Amino acid sequence: MSKAFTREDSGGDDDDQDEAPAGLPAGTKNYMRPQSFEALKAERDHLLRSERPRVVEIVSWAAGNGDRSENGDYLYGKKRLREIDRRIRFLTRRIESGVVVDPTLQTRHDRVYFGATVTYANSRDQEITVTLVGVDEADMDKGLISWVSPVARALHKASVGDLVQLRTPGGIETLEVIEIAYETASSQVAKSSVT
C-alpha cells in the first residue's frame, strides 16, 4: 500500500483532541470578549502567514538534502507542520463558533452576566475578585474565570448582597456578592456595590 494513503502515527499527536471543543459543554455557545476574538484571529494569521511558510521552507530545503529517514531537520519540520496545522484548525473552529459579547454594551449593571467583574466573599470571609470571560481566555492567576466554571455559574444573574450556593467536592459553600462592575465604552467602570 502506498504511504500516501496511510495516516502517519505521530506518537500521541492525534487529531481526536481537536474534535470536541475543550472547556465547553456540548450544546453551549462559545462566548468570548472582543479582545479574545481578535487575539485568536491574530494567532491564526501569524501561524498562516509567518510560522507555517518558514517551516515549509525548512522542510523543502531538508527534503532536498537526500535521505529523509535520518534527516533531523526534515523529521522535526514535518512534526512541527502537523502541530501548526492542528493549531490552525483548532483556532479556525473557535473563531467560526465564537459569539462575540462586548461587556461594555451591558445595560444591566446590577446583575452578574458575561464580562462582569465580581467581588465576592466566601465562607472563610476571603474577598475574591474575578471576571467572567470566555473559555479561551480563562486564567485564574489574572482573576479571569470561564463563564462555564462552577463559580461563574453560581454567580450568574446574582445581584449585590445575594447569597449564592457553590457546589464543591467538600460540600456546599455559600458566596456573598459584594460588588459587580462592568467596563464601559469610555474605559470607566460601572459599579454596583453594597452600601
Side-chain angles (χ1 to χ4, degrees), residues 22-170:
L24 275 177
T28 59
K29 295 184 179 184
N30 184 19
Y31 294 119
M32 60 182 73
R33 298 183 302 171
Q35 58 265 42
S36 176
F37 184 74
E38 292 304 320
L40 292 176
K41 285 184 7 184
E43 182 182 353
R44 182 188 63 180
D45 292 347
H46 169 73
L47 289 172
L48 282 170
R49 294 194 176 103
S50 177
E51 186 79 12
R52 192 175 195 289
R54 185 180 59 78
V55 174
V56 166
E57 186 178 318
I58 291 170
V59 170
S60 297
W61 168 81
N65 287 340
D67 184 14
R68 296 177 187 172
S69 65
E70 295 181 14
N71 186 332
D73 288 329
Y74 178 80
L75 295 173
Y76 174 75
K78 290 292 283 184
K79 181 176 188 253
R80 180 70 184 128
L81 271 177
R82 286 191 302 273
E83 292 168 355
I84 291 170
D85 289 342
R86 184 177 309 109
R87 183 69 180 163
I88 289 170
R89 284 191 307 274
F90 173 81
L91 292 170
T92 300
R93 276 197 303 274
R94 286 295 200 179
I95 290 166
E96 289 171 353
S97 71
V99 177
V100 178
V101 177
D102 191 348
T104 63
L105 302 177
Q106 179 58 256
T107 56
R108 302 263 334 248
H109 296 153
D110 61 332
R111 291 199 177 271
V112 177
Y113 294 106
F114 182 88
T117 299
V118 183
T119 301
Y120 65 90
N122 61 19
S123 58
R124 295 174 299 285
D125 287 331
Q126 296 172 313
E127 285 192 11
I128 301 167
T129 301
V130 295
T131 301
L132 280 60
V133 297
V135 294
D136 296 314
E137 54 187 325
D139 183 353
M140 193 55 199
D141 292 337
K142 295 178 182 175
L144 304 173
I145 63 169
S146 167
W147 68 276
V148 295
S149 70
V151 172
R153 286 180 180 236
L155 293 170
H156 187 248
K157 294 186 179 178
S159 297
V160 172
D162 284 356
L163 297 175
V164 297
Q165 292 188 340
L166 171 65
R167 294 187 190 329
T168 67

